[in-house]
């Protein structure tokens, strides 16, 4: 399968713990996006990278959230001191941006439950 | 980003055409119209996008009004696999993220 992969698929943690999610984009895609989705809502943008540079961060991305894409390939999203409100599906998408717009390909998501 | 308005839900019979409307009266001249869909328990999936002219691909057709203030996603023959939430999104360039609304939940009846 050459699509976007995310690990783990499910994560249950206790409030206050740190968690890290990984996203492996489609090979050769230069852009990588992170979104968060809660039940009944559409996905909400968190941040995105072009190669290894983080170009934009949403106001939703509090100081407890950090994302990296060290070599312009895979990316990690870390949440420190998790809160119950962080419970959501975390989606990753990648794209090949070469002009005016791009098509984003989404992974299956990581479902986080904070107890 | 300009906002879009979609019906909360729609229903279709299997193998019938489906027309999913989207209103975007405040669209700007540089906004692309994107459609994504999300099947149950999956991440969103790209369907189609366009700027001014109608577009066709293997999944669907996109009909854009002449004034660009509305558009319609057309599924030519709905199948059970097309049951999903369909999102209509305006995006002024590739340098802005996708802004999802609540979309239209399409149910397909066998």
């Amino acid at each position: 399968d050459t699509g976007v992969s995310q690990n783990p698929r499910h994560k249950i943690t206790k409030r206050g713990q740190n968690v890290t999610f990984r996203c492996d984009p489609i090979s050769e895609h230069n852009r990588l996006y992170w979104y968060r989705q809660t039940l009944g809502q559409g996905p909400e943008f968190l941040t995105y990278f072009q190669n290894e540079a983080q170009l934009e961060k949403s106001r939703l991305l509090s100081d407890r959230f950090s994302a990296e894409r060290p070599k312009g390939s895979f990316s990690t999203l870390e949440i420190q001191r998790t809160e119950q409100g962080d419970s959501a599906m975390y989606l990753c998408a990648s794209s090949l941006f070469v002009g005016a717009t791009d098509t984003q390909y989404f992974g299956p998501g990581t479902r986080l439950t904070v107890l | 980003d300009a906002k879009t308005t979609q019906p909360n839900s729609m229903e279709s019979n299997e193998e019938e055409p489906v027309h999913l409307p989207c209103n975007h009266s405040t669209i700007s001249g540089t906004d692309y119209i994107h459609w994504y869909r999300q099947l149950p328990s999956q991440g969103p999936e790209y369907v189609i996008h366009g700027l001014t002219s109608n577009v066709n691909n293997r999944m669907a057709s996109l009909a854009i009004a002449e004034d660009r203030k509305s558009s319609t996603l057309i599924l030519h023959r709905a199948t059970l696999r097309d049951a999903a939430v369909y999102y209509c999104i305006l995006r002024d360039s590739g340098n802005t993220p996708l802004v999802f609304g609540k979309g239209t939940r399409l149910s397909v009846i066998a």
Side-chain angles (χ1 to χ4, degrees):
Chain A
D1 190 330
T2 57
V4 177
S5 62
Q6 293 187 245
N7 288 287
R9 294 292 307 277
H10 303 274
K11 179 71 176 178
I12 300 174
T13 191
K14 293 183 178 179
R15 189 175 52 188
Q17 297 295 306
N18 299 344
V19 294
T20 300
F21 309 140
R22 176 177 170 128
C23 172
D24 286 90
I26 294 172
S27 180
E28 307 302 325
H29 276 192
N30 55 1
R31 285 202 170 174
L32 189 148
Y33 299 81
W34 285 99
Y35 293 82
R36 181 175 70 184
Q37 186 173 25
T38 54
L39 200 61
Q41 305 295 317
E44 297 172 296
F45 167 74
L46 293 178
T47 187
Y48 86 93
F49 295 83
Q50 179 153 319
N51 300 312
E52 64 275 8
Q54 190 171 17
L55 295 188
E56 187 174 343
K57 292 192 288 186
S58 162
R59 295 175 189 174
L60 293 175
L61 211 67
S62 76
D63 291 344
R64 297 184 297 105
F65 288 69
S66 63
E68 294 183 343
R69 195 183 183 199
K71 297 183 179 179
S73 57
F74 73 92
S75 175
T76 57
L77 177 68
E78 181 183 16
I79 309 174
Q80 296 182 328
R81 304 180 305 281
T82 53
E83 302 172 356
Q84 288 185 325
D86 297 331
S87 295
M89 176 74 82
Y90 289 83
L91 293 160
C92 174
S94 72
S95 72
L96 180 62
F97 180 73
V98 292
T101 191
D102 63 349
T103 295
Q104 295 183 24
Y105 296 86
F106 284 79
T110 294
R111 181 167 295 284
L112 173 66
T113 302
V114 182
L115 302 177
Chain B
D1 289 325
K3 293 185 177 178
T4 62
T5 304
Q6 299 178 253
N8 290 333
S9 62
M10 290 185 65
E11 201 171 81
S12 172
N13 294 318
E14 196 177 12
E15 299 192 3
E16 294 291 320
V18 181
H19 291 235
L20 296 163
C22 181
N23 287 322
H24 29 78
S25 59
T26 59
I27 191 170
S28 74
T30 55
D31 282 335
Y32 285 81
I33 303 161
H34 291 253
W35 284 82
Y36 282 75
R37 72 179 185 181
Q38 189 169 21
L39 280 63
S41 301
Q42 295 188 24
E45 174 187 31
Y46 168 78
V47 178
I48 200 166
H49 77 277
L51 184 60
T52 55
S53 303
N54 295 344
V55 184
N56 300 296
N57 67 20
R58 64 174 180 81
M59 288 182 69
S61 296
L62 176 59
I64 302 173
E66 196 169 333
D67 64 4
R68 301 186 73 234
K69 293 185 177 182
S70 66
S71 61
T72 302
L73 179 71
I74 302 166
L75 306 179
H76 296 287
R77 288 184 64 195
T79 69
L80 297 178
R81 193 193 173 279
D82 292 320
V85 178
Y86 286 79
Y87 297 99
C88 170
I89 301 167
L90 299 185
R91 193 173 181 215
D92 65 0
S93 78
N95 291 319
T96 58
L98 295 172
V99 179
F100 291 82
K102 290 192 174 182
T104 296
R105 182 173 298 277
L106 175 67
S107 301
V108 180
I109 302 169

